[in-house]
């Protein structure tokens, strides 16, 4: 004898879930953050294979060896667009972006590291292409913060680097960034 | 290989944008009870339950197997939940089949679902933060790199989008029913994740899928019961001739994200276990996880069904149509229905339905009685694959 | 930039849960001031009602079976300092309550004002939210309060008494 | 029963910390390093990998994808993941090793509880229609179970305090424990109630940590280790979810799993059980049929260290290293999933 007053829209119950998280930055990310505030990219070279990661994750995932401050070094803030897409923001609860933005993977010079999810400015979006030589566009020191760095390894540069922009140097060929399109 | 595993029951819900008429209990029970009916079994006949589901934040319930266990008749039985991101529906079938193949259980119910209308997948994938790129944003760079490498014409992506949506019209359970789908409609749809357009992308669905996995003895008993007038469908079982899973890191120097090595290795291991040397000819059809159009040609090459740079030609020449030489996603695929947690299991279920000759309007001709089910997840780094056959493996 | 830098994040979403026939009937029943269960094939009356028998998985006849509104506390605990996510902002009890006519116990809130009042077998009854504010939610019942004659410090429980019950009396067939 | 003999040949865990600065994947890296070192092999020698973790603990989607980086998953590996305690990852690997085509497996569990308030988080683990909206926290649920046990007359609050006193004392010998010390029942009973009948010490600490185990089958186990700890029986069962629809004072699923695992087929010298709240140890002792003579939770158990998602796997670690060291011939490890012991796993292990 389902009650006929029970019409479809009655059958939905809203439950707002709000959870607050507070997680300390691991030491390697603190050092990376301090580097950003000083306008530098701090990476780390694996003592076993020599690959350079930015930021230092505290280990080399390919050699399975832990790394420490002793393995860290400053890395140039220039690189090449290895792959990219243009994201048209989809609206969802908490989404504040409304305008399309470039989401590019930048292979940093002299490293084996991709800085993923970077915006590209200083060039019309439709002209962005793989192989483009770019450099970081920094916020003024006093406006920098560690906003984007999360403890779970997501090291977005939001708080210090707004985007990467073309350097005007000639493009690099695909073999320069093949294997870094992720 | 120890005991082979049979699929004796398959059930799924009518996938749609929002199932406001059911609770989450109702959604999973709808699929599970259809699978039990197909097998002619009751809840009490099941020995163990394995549940697959994608991120918990999609519905806002942490470890949902705990509240769903009793709804799936699992009380007093082993029950656990698998989560391997997008491939989870596929890996759940494989984990369930291991329980049969190891001789630990005779009848295992595997269930996978997602009820995305209750939350928001884009919000979930973004970890609740603004600026989320969704799965489309993560895979679009790989699609672009494939197009540049293969020099494939841009309309190939549209062709996949049209083919899968037309196939979906012949699948009563499919979510999207776009009767007037056309290359032009796809081309004109808004660009979301360059180069992927809206109609080249999968929908967000509420849906569930379930399968009853059985040992040879239990499969024989179910067949005998149906023959003797029991309630089961009496359809022949599909056998899992081989299965394999592979994972690789999502972000590391030297990674080929366009043709991930984990996908290549998973396919080679699968073919070796199934005794397949020429997948293009020895496999009749495939249900591949294609959430974005270009992944049809990319997985055809990614699993050595088509030579490098040739996958898109199979699509372009109509080989992957229902009437083609290698039909792909006659069910309409992920492009037509995408309850993320269930999508991987739907690939396995649809491949098994084809082998059992039970795919109805979207049944394709099975020369060898051999079908491939495939699912992938994460940053295109998790793979779950299985070969289903009509014949019982030795 | 102390080395103890901490990342603060908030995960928030307004989930919308579709209820289905059985849970929908129960919660809209609560909204209308009535408590119901469902009866399994073996005669067990499940409160809160489920679409299935938890022991076997078999479907259950969804016909609502009126129960309560009064019942007995079987076990309880006292929350001396309620947190924001708790249902009341003053000290209260969580309890399992077997309503009259039910075979199983409902998990809910008991507001006695004083933990000393609580004991196994305590008779309690629902204190409904005002009809206008009630939604199809488990907290349509704000809390249970002591049933017989009102216990000490029974915030309004005694006054609400039969009045609240008449609107949606358990005896509606 | 399973045909292939499977043994634990390596184990590792990180010290349980109230609030670790290291990330979850870094903790996991450490635990896996230790486990493969004890086994005397490398990550490259692993045939199947399975991990347990829970995204909700740190609030991000796909925490387990980052955790993969601790397993050296390149070249590609055969791997799976459960959004549950690492004990269930061990169960999946134990099943996988039965087939005969793979001989070694790495299983692990990792999680950080410090980033969020358990009272706000764990209602998310409950039925979304009837329990989540009440915001009933895990301590309140454990207290309902404790009170129900007291009402049967089978236990007293002093018994609860006795469990805690033993845990703190035993933890003095456990370098990985978080809470340790010598105290006695009367001192503990003088503490104020937090959730009648539970006091603060009846609750587990908030912990961050990770644990890992290496499994090996048959002859491979004997090659790898000269003291493999054999898994003689392993089973798990689940009970109804609604607290009011089961008897909270007993653990029928533990009793069922113990029977399938063969606990009573021989003497039990040592047991490590996932009694996350003190009353649960009394319920589990009965459910497992452990007599007073059995040494329960010599490590201090979850009341001394509770790194969620590895608490259950750590029970296996604590039994394995004791039996391997000749500290007992036959042991039981128990893991639980969900609240008020809704889902339980029992494992019987035997010394080499």
């Amino acid at each position: 004898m389902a009650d006929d007053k029970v019409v479809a829209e009655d059958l939905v119950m809203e439950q707002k879930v709000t959870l607050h998280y507070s997680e300390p930055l691991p030491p390697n990310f603190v050092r990376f953050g301090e580097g950003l505030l000083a306008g530098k990219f701090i990476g780390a070279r694996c003592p076993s294979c020599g690959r350079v990661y930015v930021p230092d994750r505290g280990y080399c995932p390919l050699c399975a060896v832990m790394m420490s401050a002793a393995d860290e070094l400053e890395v140039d803030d220039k690189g090449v667009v290895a792959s990219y897409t243009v994201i048209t923001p989809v609206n969802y609860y908490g989404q504040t972006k409304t305008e399309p933005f470039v989401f590019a993977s930048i292979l940093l010079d002299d490293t084996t590291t991709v800085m993923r999810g970077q915006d590209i400015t200083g060039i019309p979006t439709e002209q962005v292409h793989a192989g483009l030589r770019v450099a970081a566009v920094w916020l003024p020191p006093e406006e920098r913060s560690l906003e984007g760095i999360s403890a779970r390894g997501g090291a977005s540069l939001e708080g210090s680097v707004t985007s990467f922009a073309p350097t005007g140097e000639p493009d690099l060929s695909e073999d320069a960034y093949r294997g870094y399109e992720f | 290989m120890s005991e082979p595993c049979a699929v004796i029951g398959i059930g799924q819900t009518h996938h749609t944008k929002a199932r406001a008429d059911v609770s989450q209990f109702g959604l999973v029970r709808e699929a599970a009870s259809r699978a039990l009916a197909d097998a002619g079994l009751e809840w009490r006949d099941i020995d163990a339950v394995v549940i697959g589901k994608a991120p918990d934040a999609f519905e806002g319930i942490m470890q949902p197997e705990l509240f769903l266990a009793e709804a799936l008749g699992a009380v007093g039985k082993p029950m656990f939940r698998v989560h391997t991101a997008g491939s989870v529906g596929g890996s759940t079938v494989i984990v369930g089949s291991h329980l049969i193949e190891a001789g630990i259980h005779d009848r295992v119910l595997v269930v996978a679902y997602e009820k995305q209308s209750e939350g928001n997948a884009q919000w979930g994938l973004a970890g609740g933060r603004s600026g989320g790129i969704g799965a489309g944003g993560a895979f679009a760079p790989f699609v672009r790199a494939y197009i540049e490498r293969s020099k494939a014409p841009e309309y190939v992506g549209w062709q996949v989008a049209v083919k899968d949506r037309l196939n979906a019209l012949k699948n009563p359970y499919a979510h999207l029913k776009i009767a007037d789908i056309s290359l032009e409609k796809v081309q004109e749809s808004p660009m979301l994740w360059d180069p992927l357009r809206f109609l080249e992308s999968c929908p967000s669905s509420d849906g569930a899928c379930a399968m009853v996995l059985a040992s040879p003895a239990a499969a024989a008993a179910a067949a005998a019961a149906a023959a003797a007038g029991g309630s089961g469908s009496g359809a022949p079982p599909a056998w899992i001739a081989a299965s394999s899973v592979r994972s690789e890191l999502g972000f590391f120097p030297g990674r080929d994200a366009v043709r991930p090595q984990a996908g290549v290795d998973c396919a080679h291991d699968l073919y070796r276990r199934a005794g397949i040397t020429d997948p293009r000819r020895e496999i009749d059809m495939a249900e591949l996880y294609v959430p974005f159009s270009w992944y049809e040609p990319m997985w055809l090459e990614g699993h050595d069904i088509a030579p490098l740079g040739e996958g898109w030609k199979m699509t372009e020449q109509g080989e992957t149509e229902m009437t083609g030489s290698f039909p792909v996603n006659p069910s309409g695929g992920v492009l037509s229905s995408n309850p993320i947690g269930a999508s991987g299991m739907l690939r396995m279920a649809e491949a098994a339905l084809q082998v059992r000759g039970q795919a109805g309007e979207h049944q394709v001709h099975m020369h060898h009685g051999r079908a491939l089910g495939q699912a992938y997840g994460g940053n295109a780094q998790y793979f779950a694959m299985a070969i289903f056959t009509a014949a019982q493996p030795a | 930039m102390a080395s103890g830098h901490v990342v603060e994040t908030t995960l928030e979403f307004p989930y919308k849960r579709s209820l289905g026939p059985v849970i929908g009937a129960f919660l809209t029943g609560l909204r209308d001031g009535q408590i119901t269960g469902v009866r399994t094939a073996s005669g067990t009356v499940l409160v809160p009602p489920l679409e299935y028998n938890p022991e076997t998985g078999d479907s259950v006849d969804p016909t609502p079976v009126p129960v309560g509104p009064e019942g007995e506390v079987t076990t309880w605990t006292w929350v001396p300092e309620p947190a924001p996510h708790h249902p009341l902002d003053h000290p209260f009890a969580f309890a399992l309550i077997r309503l009259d006519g039910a075979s199983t116990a409902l998990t809910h809130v008991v507001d006695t004002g004083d933990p000393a009042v609580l004991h196994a077998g305590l008779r309690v009854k629902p204190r409904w939210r005002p009809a206008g504010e009630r939604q199809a939610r488990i907290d349509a019942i704000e809390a249970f309060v002591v049933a017989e004659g009102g216990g000490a410090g029974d915030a309004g429980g005694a006054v609400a008494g039969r009045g609240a019950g008449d609107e949606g009396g358990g005896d509606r067939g | 029963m399973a045909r292939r003999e499977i043994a634990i040949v390596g184990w590792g865990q990180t010290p349980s910390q109230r609030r670790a600065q290291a990330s979850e994947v870094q903790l996991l890296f450490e635990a896996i390093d230790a486990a493969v070192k004890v086994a005397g092999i490398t990550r490259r020698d692993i045939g199947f990998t399975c991990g347990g973790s829970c995204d909700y603990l740190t609030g991000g989607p796909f925490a387990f994808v980052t955790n993969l980086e601790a397993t050296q998953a390149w070249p590609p590996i055969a791997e799976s993941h459960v959004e549950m305690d690492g004990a269930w990852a061990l169960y999946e690997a134990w099943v996988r090793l039965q087939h005969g085509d793979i001989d070694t497996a790495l299983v692990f569990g990792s999680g950080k509880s410090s980033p969020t308030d358990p009272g706000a988080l764990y209602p998310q683990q409950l039925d979304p229609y009837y329990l989540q909206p009440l915001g009933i926290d895990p301590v309140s649920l454990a207290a309902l179970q404790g009170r129900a046990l007291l009402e049967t007359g089978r236990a007293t609050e002093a018994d609860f305090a006795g469990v805690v006193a033993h845990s703190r004392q035993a933890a003095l010998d456990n370098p990985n424990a978080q809470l340790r010390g010598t105290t006695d029942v009367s001192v503990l009973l003088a503490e104020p109630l937090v959730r009648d009948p539970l006091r603060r010490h009846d609750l587990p600490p908030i912990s961050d940590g990770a644990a890992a185990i290496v499994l090996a089958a048959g002859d491979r186990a004997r090659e790898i280790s000269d003291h493999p700890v054999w898994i003689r029986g392993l089973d798990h069962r689940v009970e109804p979810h609604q607290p009011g629809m089961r008897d909270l004072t007993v653990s029928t699923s533990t009793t069922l799993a113990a029977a399938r695992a063969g606990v009573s087929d021989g003497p039990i010298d040592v047991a490590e059980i996932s009694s996350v709240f003190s009353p649960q140890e009394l319920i589990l002792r009965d459910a497992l049929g452990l007599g007073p003579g059995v040494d329960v939770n010599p490590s201090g158990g979850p009341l001394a260290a509770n790194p969620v998602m590895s608490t259950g796997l750590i029970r296996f670690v604590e039994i394995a290293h004791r039996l391997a060291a000749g500290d007992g011939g036959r042991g039981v490890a128990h893991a639980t999933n969900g609240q008020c012991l809704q889902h339980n796993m029992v494992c019987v292990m035997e010394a080499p």
Side-chain angles (χ1 to χ4, degrees), chain D residues 303-329:
Chain D
L303 286 165
N306 184 37
V308 172
M309 293 298 133
S310 47
T311 297
L313 191 62
I314 287 173
R315 306 284 70 76
F316 287 74
V317 171
E318 294 295 344
I319 292 295
H321 81 72
R322 282 178 172 76
L323 297 189
D327 189 0

Side-chain angles (χ1 to χ4, degrees), chain A residues 97 100-104 106 117-121 125 162-165:
Chain A
K97 284 192 185 271
F101 57 93
V102 179
F103 182 87
I106 315 288
Q118 303 308 314
D119 194 6
I120 304 288
T121 53
T125 303
T162 55
S163 66
F164 281 72

Side-chain angles (χ1 to χ4, degrees), chain B residues 29 42-44 70 73, chain C residues 51-60:
Chain B
R29 283 175 63 81
E42 302 290 329
W43 297 98
R44 68 180 64 82
E70 55 196 39
Chain C
E51 301 166 34
Y52 48 82
N53 181 331
E55 296 302 330
T56 64
D58 297 331
S59 290
V60 173

Side-chain angles (χ1 to χ4, degrees), chain B residues 231-303:
Chain B
S231 61
S233 71
W239 294 93
I240 297 180
S243 68
S244 185
V245 293
R246 282 295 182 279
S247 306
E248 70 182 41
L249 299 175
F251 311 98
F252 65 89
R255 180 175 190 230
D256 183 349
V258 177
R259 186 172 185 267
Q261 190 59 40
V264 176
D265 291 2
C266 194
H268 290 172
D269 181 49
L270 182 74
Y271 301 151
R272 179 180 58 76
R273 290 171 188 273
I276 291 173
T277 51
D278 183 348
R280 174 78 169 73
R281 275 160 197 69
E282 294 173 73
I283 296 173
D284 295 310
M285 60 78 65
E287 281 279 339
L288 302 177
Y289 202 97
V290 175
F292 302 96
S293 58
W294 282 93
Y295 266 105
E296 175 171 299
M298 288 167 73
W299 291 142
L300 289 172
E301 291 179 35
H303 301 311

Side-chain angles (χ1 to χ4, degrees), chain D residues 217-272:
Chain D
D219 294 341
R220 187 80 175 95
R222 296 182 186 87
E223 277 165 34
I224 288 176
S225 169
D226 36 29
H227 36 69
V229 175
W230 299 101
I231 293 178
R232 290 298 178 224
L234 179 58
D235 192 81
H236 63 108
R237 303 278 151 168
V238 73
E239 294 181 44
H241 179 70
Q242 301 287 338
M245 292 189 185
R246 60 188 171 97
D247 181 349
L248 296 178
T249 70
V250 294
S251 185
T252 52
S253 54
T254 300
T255 302
L256 251 178
R260 306 290 290 223
V263 169
S264 56
D265 295 353
I268 297 295
D269 304 312
V270 57
E272 281 278 339

Side-chain angles (χ1 to χ4, degrees), chain B residues 177-209:
Chain B
K177 298 287 168 83
I178 315 173
D180 63 345
I181 187 80
S182 66
L183 292 180
E184 295 68 29
K185 245 175 100 75
V186 179
Q187 179 181 8
E188 286 145 19
S189 65
M191 185 73 79
L192 283 189
W193 304 288
D194 187 359
L196 291 169
R197 294 178 177 280
F198 174 71
L199 279 177
E200 288 180 280
S201 310
C202 50
S204 169
S205 315
D206 284 5
C209 183

